[in-house]
Amino acid sequence: MTHTEYTREILDIEDKNIYFNENCLEIRKEGPLKVKVFHGFLTYTPEYCEHCGCISKDYGDIIKWGFDKNCLVKINKVANFNAILLLDKQRFLCKNCNHTFTARTSLVDFHKQISNNTKLSVILDLMKKGSEKGIAEKNNISTNSVNRILDSICDDKLIKNNGHLPISFGIDELTATKDTKGKYAFIIVDQTNRNIFDLLDSRKNIDIEKYFKRYSRCEREKVKFITMDLYAPYYKLMHSLFPNAILIPDRFHFVLQPRNALDKTRIKSISKYNPDYRKYKRYWKLLLKNEDELDDKKMFYSPNFRKEVTQKYIVTYLIHKNSYIYSSYNYYQGILKSIRDRDKSKFINIIHHFDKTTSSQYITKTNKTFLKMEQYLVNSFDYELSNGIVEGINNLIKQIKHTACGYRKFKHLKFRIMLIKGLCNPIKS
Ligand SMILES: [Zn+2]
């Protein structure tokens, strides 16, 4: 093996027009770091002139005209040291048009410093979780360069659905980036393969409608189930877009309504001057707990009660001290139980026999929502599907945003999510 072949192999350079001499390696110190600097040169006989297209038939039409010295190319690390290649690029003079031009190489794009190998390595890193700053450090380039590479591979059309919609999907919203129309973006998750179907930069009805109308009516009629939270505007829209779909509110969000109402009732009813204020403040979590799970055996000392108590004792005490809290508590526990036991008739019974006169304004409002959405809420009892998988993916997205310290462009965030979730592969295409 010659020096050239040897060095090319080490640096994984495929371009056969790059040559290395003996002593091509120099170790430089950059602060505390060692940098491996390789010196090489690029030369070949060009087939034609880049300016006039004159084909080089005889020697003499295009002649070698010195070198562009020391063009910096950032290459992959060598034995974990940062490495750069200083490449002398051959210049040519075309005698036909009297213009000069520089030799090109597949190692690095024209006018660029980052080698294509490094780019590839960055793309592979972008497909894994991890901050862009970390990727930049690992590949010895700037964060801006990582962003530019991400930008260059971003292509919205990469999300190909072949015009088909999932039979069953979940929708949700997530906080978006600064360049989106509203505060929230919109996510569609395929319930069958449990992966993201698509991300939209707006959750406004008009944009969602526009998005789904790209699919044929026939395709939309095939959709059987849609899970979502209790955000009312979605229901009307989804119903009109997907006439055959059963809309299933997520059980978790469903319980959240009376739960939050109970909590608000507690805060509103118990003022700072109430003698039991501290007890409520300390033990509010027990009120929200499922009453069947309250411990009524284990005694512990409570400084607020100044005696040994059980969880059950505390809750009984707290709910009997205030009639609004009492009725709200029973309402919440009733709903909770009906959902846990999948007892649809119990649920219907509770919301239809609701007594407004003894209830707090918050619970009254909750019940009103429930009555309004009854036709959808009953579906949660009849079908197993929930929005859990959507929430899970939403959490992953939050994590991605967090490790990257936020994204300014929605396009970048979306593409990064797609890369990490394996929904597109820029290397294959
Ligand atoms: Zn020319």
Side-chain angles (χ1 to χ4, degrees), residues 196-230:
I196 298 169
F197 180 73
D198 211 347
L199 284 162
L200 272 59
D201 63 354
S202 159
R203 69 148 184 190
K204 289 185 178 148
N205 271 5
I206 181 163
D207 295 312
I208 296 169
E209 189 176 350
K210 209 164 119 195
Y211 174 82
F212 280 119
K213 286 229 165 132
R214 298 198 316 215
Y215 294 89
S216 67
R217 187 171 172 88
C218 165
E219 190 61 32
R220 280 186 277 124
E221 278 171 356
K222 283 187 207 156
V223 175
K224 281 198 187 127
F225 300 103
I226 305 171
T227 57
M228 57 184 111
D229 62 19
L230 280 183

Side-chain angles (χ1 to χ4, degrees), residues 30-266:
E30 272 184 19
L33 297 172
K34 260 200 243 172
V35 181
K36 306 221 174 202
V37 183
F38 291 83
H39 292 268
F41 62 98
L42 167 73
T43 185
Y44 54 87
T45 308
E47 286 174 2
Y48 59 90
C49 163
E50 275 182 20
H51 296 284
C52 65
C54 157
I55 295 164
S56 171
K57 272 185 238 147
D58 304 308
Y59 286 104
D61 287 342
I62 298 170
I63 57 166
K64 290 182 177 169
W65 198 251
F67 282 94
D68 262 352
K69 293 265 187 182
N70 294 334
C71 299
L72 181 98
V73 183
K74 295 206 167 178
I75 51 177
N76 284 348
K77 288 194 176 189
V78 175
N80 236 351
F81 290 101
N82 287 340
I84 54 172
L85 169 65
L86 291 178
L87 194 61
D88 294 344
K89 292 180 180 170
Q90 182 80 60
R91 288 190 66 75
F92 303 104
L93 173 72
C94 167
K95 286 200 169 172
N96 192 38
C97 67
N98 251 334
H99 278 101
T100 59
F101 59 94
T102 310
R104 290 179 190 246
T105 166
S106 62
L107 178 70
V108 59
D109 289 344
F110 196 54
H111 279 316
K112 293 276 159 61
Q113 285 197 343
I114 296 163
S115 75
N116 292 330
N117 279 352
T118 305
K119 238 188 200 169
L120 186 70
S121 154
V122 170
I123 293 171
L124 285 172
D125 287 339
L126 282 169
M127 290 164 85
K128 288 173 261 171
K129 282 190 218 170
S131 73
E132 266 122 72
K133 201 175 159 218
I135 296 172
E137 272 166 19
K138 189 179 157 216
N139 289 287
N140 187 28
I141 58 175
S142 68
T143 318
N144 270 341
S145 301
V146 174
N147 260 315
R148 234 172 290 134
I149 292 170
L150 180 61
D151 199 72
S152 71
I153 54 171
C154 270
D155 186 355
D156 245 5
K157 285 175 209 139
L158 272 172
I159 304 123
K160 285 171 194 136
N161 314 317
N162 298 325
H164 292 300
L165 281 166
I167 296 294
S168 152
F169 61 83
I171 56 172
D172 202 0
E173 58 222 20
L174 59 143
T175 44
T177 45
K178 279 194 177 143
D179 64 333
T180 51
K181 283 182 199 167
K183 218 176 140 194
Y184 293 97
F186 188 75
I187 180 172
I188 306 156
V189 173
D190 187 338
Q191 291 270 17
T192 317
N193 67 15
R194 304 169 78 78
N195 208 339
I196 298 169
F197 180 73
D198 211 347
L199 284 162
L200 272 59
D201 63 354
S202 159
R203 69 148 184 190
K204 289 185 178 148
N205 271 5
I206 181 163
D207 295 312
I208 296 169
E209 189 176 350
K210 209 164 119 195
Y211 174 82
F212 280 119
K213 286 229 165 132
R214 298 198 316 215
Y215 294 89
S216 67
R217 187 171 172 88
C218 165
E219 190 61 32
R220 280 186 277 124
E221 278 171 356
K222 283 187 207 156
V223 175
K224 281 198 187 127
F225 300 103
I226 305 171
T227 57
M228 57 184 111
D229 62 19
L230 280 183
Y231 186 61
Y234 287 157
Y235 284 82
K236 212 175 146 196
L237 176 70
M238 289 297 148
H239 199 72
S240 71
L241 284 168
F242 305 97
N244 297 331
I246 293 165
L247 309 179
I248 307 173
D250 185 57
R251 283 184 289 276
F252 173 72
H253 285 97
F254 188 165
V255 183
L256 225 52
Q257 301 270 336
R259 183 189 155 101
N260 291 343
L262 168 63
D263 210 34
K264 278 184 188 160
T265 308
R266 171 188 60 90

